[in-house]
């Protein structure tokens, strides 16, 4: 069942190229139209929405945060991402012109179900991006776009996260096409970029041994920090969540720009810090700003572990160690940069002799509010 891997989580991390490829396969028809798996939200409705609200919890919410950067950029529709349990009790502004996206692996997360019902009561159309076929969220939504990650057994979500980002991107590309924000050749380029991701994820998996070595050397650590900016920010949050969940190590993810507003006070001699470095080919200023963050924490004694793009020659000058991922367009990069962080958490928890697939106090789906 584990396909030769020591844990389901390790297997599922290695399933990720397939999970992304399967989620993409056959999704866009010859007219550039997204094929939903179930239900329908009329194009006239999608054309009239003026806001998208993603409701989700935990890792799924981080996938939503990643998708926000892409969907807003491609469609120019404002996107909010909200923890489902906060959304519902806030008297949120949601109406017939709000497209609500319920993002969930299990489709049974009670917080997300309750938020979805609340949104529907306000008249909002709801599309589910869900992994589990026929689950409550899939059944109760107006339309469903399934992530095709296959069953996820390990409590800590990995392949579902990548598949959720992929499916949300497809929705964004579809809306951009429908609403005329992108020319057909731009749509084709985006789809081609997505198609290249499974192969690149595989390359990250094939070169992960140095991350494992680092994890084994840090088993006695009490705290690890993660910094990222732009799409790297939710990746930092996800890297920290994985480590908390399965290795029981205190971990925090921060927006790198927020460092100087407080968190830098945490940096002490020997503090391990992961930094997700934006591509130097993207907005140059972003790369140099995060390089400055690496220098700032290093100058205060931090041990700096940087995730950078292949060919980024500057990264190594400032880091104790660099883990390279293949070059990709900025918005595609989270599908790569999160993988070393998943592997890091898995290896560290394994080295501590913990039950990686069944971490204490957690259940695979949270069916109570
Ligand atoms: C983290 C994790 C959880 C889930 C969250 C939502 O590894 O698995 O944070 O992401 O409980 O679950 P779903 O996606 O089933 O709604």
């Amino acid at each position: 069942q584990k396909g030769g891997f020591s844990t389901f989580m390790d297997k599922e991390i290695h399933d990720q190229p397939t999970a992304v490829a399967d989620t993409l396969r056959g999704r866009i028809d010859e007219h550039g139209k997204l094929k939903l798996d179930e239900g329908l939200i009329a194009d006239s409705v999608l054309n009239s929405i003026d806001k998208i609200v993603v409701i989700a919890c935990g890792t799924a919410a981080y996938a939503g945060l990643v998708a926000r950067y892409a969907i807003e950029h491609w469609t120019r529709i404002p996107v909010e991402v909200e923890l489902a349990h906060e959304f519902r009790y806030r008297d949120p502004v949601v109406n017939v012109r709000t497209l609500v996206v319920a993002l969930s692996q299990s489709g049974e997360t009670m917080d997300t179900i309750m938020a979805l019902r609340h949104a529907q009561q306000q008249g909002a159309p709801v599309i589910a991006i869900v992994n589990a076929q026929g689950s409550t969220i899939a059944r109760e939504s107006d339309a469903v776009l399934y992530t095709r990650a296959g069953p996820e057994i390990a409590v800590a979500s990995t392949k579902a996260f990548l598949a959720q980002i992929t499916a949300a991107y497809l929705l964004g590309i579809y809306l951009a096409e429908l609403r005329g924000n992108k020319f057909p050749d731009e749509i084709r380029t985006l789809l081609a970029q997505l198609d290249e991701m499974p192969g690149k994820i595989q390359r990250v998996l094939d070169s992960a041994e140095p991350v494992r070595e680092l994890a084994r050397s840090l088993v006695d650590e009490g705290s690890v920090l993660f910094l990222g900016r732009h799409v790297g920010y939710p990746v930092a949050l996800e890297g920290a969540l994985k480590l908390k969940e399965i290795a029981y190590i205190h971990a925090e993810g921060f927006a790198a720009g927020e460092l100087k507003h407080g968190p830098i006070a945490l940096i002490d001699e020997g503090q391990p810090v992961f930094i997700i470095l934006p591509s130097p080919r993207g907005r140059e200023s972003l790369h140099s700003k995060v390089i400055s963050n690496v220098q700032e924490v290093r100058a205060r004694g931090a041990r700096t572990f940087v995730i950078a793009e292949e060919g980024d020659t500057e990264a190594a000058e400032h880091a104790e160690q660099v883990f390279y991922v293949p070059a990709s367009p900025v918005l595609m990069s989270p599908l790569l940069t999160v993988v070393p962080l998943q592997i890091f958490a898995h290896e560290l928890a394994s080295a501590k002799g913990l039950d990686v697939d069944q971490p204490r106090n957690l259940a695979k789906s949270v069916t109570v509010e």
Side-chain angles (χ1 to χ4, degrees), residues 94-307:
V94 179
N95 54 45
V96 287
R97 291 159 76 85
T98 311
L99 178 65
V100 170
V101 180
L103 200 52
S104 174
Q105 188 286 126
S106 63
E108 300 296 349
T109 299
M110 190 51 78
D111 288 318
T112 310
I113 294 171
M114 297 309 283
L116 176 164
R117 290 177 184 160
H118 184 77
Q120 281 181 327
Q121 281 159 13
Q122 318 302 311
V126 179
I127 178 162
I129 295 181
V130 165
N131 199 45
Q133 301 265 335
S135 53
T136 306
I137 292 177
R139 282 187 278 109
E140 294 198 9
S141 298
D142 300 295
V144 189
L145 185 59
Y146 281 113
T147 47
R148 301 190 192 126
E152 194 177 60
I153 310 286
V155 164
S157 185
T158 53
K159 63 179 179 175
F161 178 68
L162 266 67
Q164 283 161 350
I165 294 171
T166 305
Y169 277 22
L170 285 173
L171 177 63
I173 291 170
Y174 174 59
L175 290 172
E177 197 269 346
L178 179 74
R179 295 163 62 107
N181 294 85
K182 293 271 172 216
F183 294 114
D185 58 326
E186 292 176 301
I187 298 288
R188 272 193 294 277
T189 302
L190 290 174
L191 292 170
Q193 289 171 353
L194 274 175
D195 271 336
E196 282 181 14
M197 297 316 290
K200 291 182 179 180
I201 298 164
Q202 187 61 49
R203 283 178 51 207
V204 179
L205 294 172
D206 293 342
S207 59
E209 196 44 39
V211 179
R212 288 196 196 94
E213 268 169 38
L214 175 69
R216 292 192 288 269
S217 76
L218 292 178
V219 277
D220 295 323
E221 270 317 318
S223 151
V224 180
L225 303 181
F226 296 78
L227 300 178
R229 190 160 182 155
H230 192 255
V231 285
Y233 170 41
V235 170
L237 296 174
E238 173 62 3
L241 179 60
K242 289 287 91 98
L243 201 59
K244 291 177 209 179
E245 272 184 294
I246 61 168
Y248 316 149
I249 291 179
H250 174 259
E252 292 296 331
F254 295 112
E258 194 65 7
L259 254 191
K260 57 184 176 299
H261 300 288
I264 198 162
L266 288 169
I267 306 295
D268 200 357
E269 198 58 38
Q271 170 68 53
V273 182
F274 274 89
I275 303 110
I276 299 116
L277 200 56
S279 163
R281 297 169 309 110
R283 264 189 237 151
E284 210 284 316
S285 59
L286 224 50
H287 179 261
S288 56
K289 286 200 168 88
V290 180
I291 288 271
S292 299
N293 296 139
V294 181
Q295 291 170 318
E296 284 155 13
V297 296
R298 202 177 195 194
R300 288 162 179 82
R303 300 186 62 191
T304 49
F305 307 114
V306 169
I307 316 283

